[in-house]
Amino acid sequence: MGRARGTARRKNKKYNYSVNKKKKHRRIMKSKTPKISCQPIRDAWNFRKSVYRNLEEMGLSADPNDAMEVTVKQRKTGPVENTGKKRPTIGHVVKDLEKEVTVPRDKGLRLPKDVVVFCTYMLDKYGDDYKAMARDPKNYYQETPKKIFRMIQQFKNIPAQWNGYLRAKGLKTEATNE
């Protein structure tokens, strides 16, 4: 008679003395740690500490509900005194994050290629006649004249794509920061 399914044979389960279990465990735990994309947090992160401990020492909160709870208590009763031990915080992390947020970023908005092709086709064929655009057989999604107008306005508000269209038509491009 055969053995029951799912049971292992004992004779094959031997201890492997050549494997360092502690080193193997550290390697596994390090591979499970999250990839941190934020530079200030990555620099201050200590992999020997837990996520909650790291964030607490940076002056950040792992749970937004806890952070909001403190501010609600402060509004109702005034400043809340913490009787527990105060851990040292890494203050530069919050300052670096605030600096990173205030830096202006380029608008990376781009319309999908099929929307651009639709808008250019309609502009080439009909100009500014949005009612005719709505009746066109290539209006597969049966967009209304108002929706088509908004799509074309959005297309015109993206300088990189709109100026590319104007250049392709041989028209003068608008003066923008390109």
Side-chain angles (χ1 to χ4, degrees):
M1 223 176 187
R3 61 188 166 86
R5 292 182 77 197
T7 59
R9 294 182 183 217
R10 293 275 178 210
K11 66 181 181 180
N12 291 338
K13 300 286 183 180
K14 293 182 179 177
Y15 186 78
N16 189 355
Y17 289 97
S18 64
V19 174
N20 186 342
K21 298 279 187 174
K22 188 185 271 188
K23 193 185 288 186
K24 188 176 181 182
H25 177 71
R26 277 197 207 121
R27 187 170 47 241
I28 290 170
M29 293 311 290
K30 192 164 187 170
S31 69
K32 287 184 180 181
T33 56
K35 303 291 184 246
I36 303 168
S37 60
C38 181
Q39 187 64 37
I41 294 177
R42 188 180 330 134
D43 292 340
W45 195 266
N46 184 351
F47 287 100
R48 294 183 185 269
K49 296 180 181 175
S50 69
V51 173
Y52 289 99
R53 175 69 62 86
N54 269 308
L55 291 175
E56 186 178 318
E57 287 181 359
M58 289 180 209
L60 303 173
S61 175
D63 187 8
N65 294 323
D66 290 344
M68 292 304 295
E69 188 176 303
V70 170
T71 57
V72 170
K73 284 180 186 175
Q74 286 175 348
R75 271 192 239 134
K76 288 181 180 176
T77 62
V80 178
E81 291 184 25
N82 190 355
T83 58
K85 284 194 255 180
K86 180 98 173 163
R87 290 197 179 97
T89 60
I90 305 170
H92 68 85
V93 175
V94 176
K95 291 174 188 170
D96 290 345
L97 288 173
E98 288 173 351
K99 283 180 192 173
E100 194 175 301
V101 168
T102 58
V103 172
R105 293 190 178 160
D106 294 336
K107 291 183 180 178
L109 179 67
R110 300 272 244 179
L111 286 176
K113 187 177 180 184
D114 56 340
V115 174
V116 172
V117 169
F118 175 76
C119 290
T120 55
Y121 167 78
M122 292 297 182
L123 285 170
D124 290 342
K125 189 165 183 182
Y126 298 107
D128 290 334
D129 190 5
Y130 298 104
K131 288 184 181 178
M133 290 180 193
R135 290 190 302 267
D136 190 272
K138 287 209 175 184
N139 183 7
Y140 301 125
Y141 298 110
Q142 299 181 1
E143 306 289 1
T144 62
K146 195 170 187 176
K147 174 69 175 173
I148 294 171
F149 172 76
R150 278 190 253 125
M151 284 170 63
I152 291 175
Q153 288 302 317
Q154 189 177 17
F155 173 59
K156 288 179 178 179
N157 287 333
I158 300 173
Q161 290 178 324
W162 176 244
N163 288 337
Y165 167 72
L166 292 177
R167 267 189 242 110
K169 298 299 292 172
L171 301 171
K172 187 177 178 184
T173 59
E174 296 176 2
T176 58
N177 298 343
E178 193 177 350

